[in-house]
Amino acid sequence: MAEGAAEAPAESGGGGDSGASAPERGVAPIKPQYLTTKEQFHEFLEARGQEKPSQETGAGDPGGNDLVEPEAKRIRLEDGQTGEAAEPGEQPQVQKRARGQNKGRPHVKPTHYDNNRLCPSLVQESAAKCFFGDRCRFLHDVGRYLETKPSDLGPRCVLFETFGRCPYGVTCRFAGAHLGPDGQNLVREEWVQAPPVRNGLDKALQQLLRKRKVRFERAEQALRQLSRDRVPGPSPAAAVPEVTGAESAPGQDSGDTQQALPGPDAGALPSGSVWTRGPLTDEDVVRLRPCEKKKLDIHGKLYLAPLTTCGNLPFRRICKRFGADVTCGEMAVCTNLLQGQTSEWALLRRHQCEDVFGVQLEGAFPDTMTKCAELLNRTIEVDFVDINVGCPIDLVYKKGGGCALMNRSAKFQQIVRGMNQVLDVPLTVKIRTGVQERVNLAHRLLPELRDWGAALVTLHGRSREQRYTKLADWQYVEQCVTAASPMPLFGNGDILSYEDASRAMQTGVAGIMIARGALLKPWLFTEIKEQRHWDISSSERLAILQDFTRYGLEHWGSDTQGVEKTRRFLLEWLSFLCRYVPVGLLERLPQRINERPPYYLGRDYLETLMASQKAADWIRISEMLLGPVPPNFVFLPKHKANAYK
């Protein structure tokens, strides 16, 4: 929660004059003239703000904690008991305190989108026939819809100005920019262009996935070979009898497979396992050898890590603009992809500016991972596929995925070998130093990963148990470079300045991956390439947020649901951006990633507002960009703002 980080500097003595005389460990060294106390910090923001403090933050909260949360989150006390009084004669129920972060986070489903919602047939201008017929539960009266629709958020529509047509029509929250006098949706034919986003989910493929009518013949062949402990080698001769004899028998369903999984090009389709007519070609009998795969040459490149929740497509566009060379989509669960879930497939979408792009898969079993790799190999355009063996969260770890694969070498080997056999693009792996803090496993796994077929490995210099309690172990990363040679090894951990990046490259790694550093300051890529500290102004930072909201409206839509989704992801990002300390305020350069900022007053009001760790102030910033929040809007940050501890 954000308030935990807000209290930490005050408890450590980071605020006031005490921080100037003796800078404390773990606290960013800010010049004395900018330091202040917690109370003065919030009083300054509230005095310059438009709303009264008692209406937003609550007068009964002297500590300045964020009270924007629902009651279900606030009632849990430190001792694990609820704040409700017990009935007379009834024993108070002691609730076991859930460990970890955000355990009391209630599930808030935005059901209000369906209230007075206009029928999609009217939005898409096909009112002659409703998509749902007599069962339609949406409004068909445009006039009634306009009576309850909130006012527009601005005079300009991003989608209309970018693509020449807004697909949301009258439901757009900026509809005044593209509605005619009679309410018709205007179109500028000379501007109309297709959205520059690839890797969408085809509806026909989605139906086949949901009905389980898609066959994965290359994956099944690879899994049979792995189950017999016959590891396929680089020679294609051993695989030819297996393809023609075992896989050609069920020829009736092969038509569904080819229709369901159209490849980006003809060479991507495995024709050896399908009944074909005509002359025999090389593709029918010769499999793609490892040496013939597409190469992944990213030596010395800056790699933006796959960041769950915050590493969305609009954020990646921001990082690409500032110099990120390689981008990767958010972690996608392979079972959800195989089920055709739209929300999971959205994580694979790729913008045209992402010239070197990969996707990251998470799974615990060779069959689902191999089938998912074959599915993606035929349906989307990527430069590499990454296996997540570094996720530390319990939801993934307890199911055998993420970091758990480091202790399951047999399953790990089958996953890597199976996926490598069905992919026509390089396969990469992201791992940690190990599961336990003092038991390193990476140096033993790296030679095996090289032999299993991994083209590149990224090593995060922490264990699962360690999380972010200590700095990344770059000395161990340097040892692992030798163990992985000649396979390239990327390093990851605690890079927040160009000095950090230079020290990381001196360890011999092929390149560096940047994760939290990009969330705190996405212009870090520019600093590294130009070898300088950028004292970016608050107005420049606000312009970055404006670009993010514009990209978000393009990606998630300009209707009410799209605007609120853009706001929610913006707020998630602001929970990281508030930790950045401007260069001009620091006594010592650079800021280190394990140093939390004390309370300080910036060089202007906006710089001070961006330093706040209260969700109410993040919402205030979002209102500058997206207009006022709706009355039923609730924001609970998924990522704690005090992750320095």
Side-chain angles (χ1 to χ4, degrees), residues 429-602:
V429 184
K430 186 175 187 293
I431 63 175
R432 286 178 177 255
T433 59
V435 177
Q436 298 176 349
E437 185 172 353
R438 294 179 177 85
V439 182
N440 292 329
L441 302 175
H443 64 284
R444 297 206 303 260
L445 284 174
L446 286 171
E448 297 179 346
L449 285 170
R450 179 187 59 214
D451 298 336
W452 297 343
L456 179 144
V457 175
T458 302
L459 176 59
H460 184 182
R462 292 185 179 88
S463 64
R464 176 184 181 266
E465 286 184 353
Q466 182 181 346
R467 296 292 179 98
Y468 296 104
T469 56
K470 295 181 181 179
L471 294 176
D473 189 355
W474 280 94
Q475 292 183 351
Y476 180 68
V477 174
E478 185 174 6
Q479 299 174 12
C480 291
V481 171
T482 305
S485 181
M487 179 182 64
L489 180 71
F490 268 55
N492 171 229
D494 300 338
I495 296 176
L496 192 60
S497 65
Y498 75 88
E499 291 100 332
D500 296 334
S502 300
R503 284 192 295 268
M505 290 301 297
Q506 291 174 4
T507 61
V509 294
I512 54 176
M513 173 184 282
I514 301 175
R516 282 188 302 163
L519 293 174
L520 270 64
K521 41 190 280 191
W523 54 92
L524 173 60
F525 302 98
T526 301
E527 291 187 350
I528 294 175
K529 290 188 173 181
E530 297 181 0
Q531 294 289 292
R532 68 181 177 96
H533 293 292
W534 185 355
D535 189 9
I536 189 169
S537 65
S538 59
S539 58
E540 291 175 310
R541 293 165 64 189
L542 185 64
I544 295 174
L545 298 178
Q546 289 175 336
D547 291 337
F548 178 84
T549 56
R550 188 173 72 251
Y551 298 156
L553 293 174
E554 290 181 17
H555 183 59
W556 292 300
S558 59
D559 59 346
T560 300
Q561 188 171 356
V563 170
E564 291 193 23
K565 188 173 290 187
T566 302
R567 188 193 306 275
R568 196 171 300 276
F569 283 105
L570 172 64
L571 294 171
E572 291 284 357
W573 186 22
L574 285 171
S575 69
F576 286 94
L577 281 173
C578 65
R579 310 178 196 177
Y580 168 73
V581 180
V583 171
L585 275 61
L586 288 171
E587 282 189 326
R588 167 189 49 78
L589 293 175
Q591 178 187 359
R592 296 183 180 133
I593 204 166
N594 64 327
E595 293 177 342
R596 60 186 182 273
Y599 287 98
Y600 64 90
L601 297 179

Side-chain angles (χ1 to χ4, degrees), residues 86 210-211 252 260 305 318-319 486:
R210 290 176 175 177
K211 295 177 181 179
Q252 302 152 351
I318 294 291
C319 293

Side-chain angles (χ1 to χ4, degrees), residues 32-76:
Q33 60 266 32
Y34 297 107
L35 290 174
T36 185
T37 63
K38 180 178 181 179
E39 291 75 14
Q40 293 174 348
F41 177 84
H42 292 296
E43 286 176 4
F44 174 78
L45 292 180
E46 291 166 357
R48 296 287 301 272
Q50 298 297 324
E51 62 266 7
K52 296 181 181 179
S54 59
Q55 295 177 352
E56 290 295 326
T57 59
D61 185 27
N65 290 337
D66 183 14
L67 295 183
V68 185
E69 305 169 358
E71 189 67 23
K73 180 73 175 177
R74 297 201 303 265
I75 58 177
R76 178 164 292 149

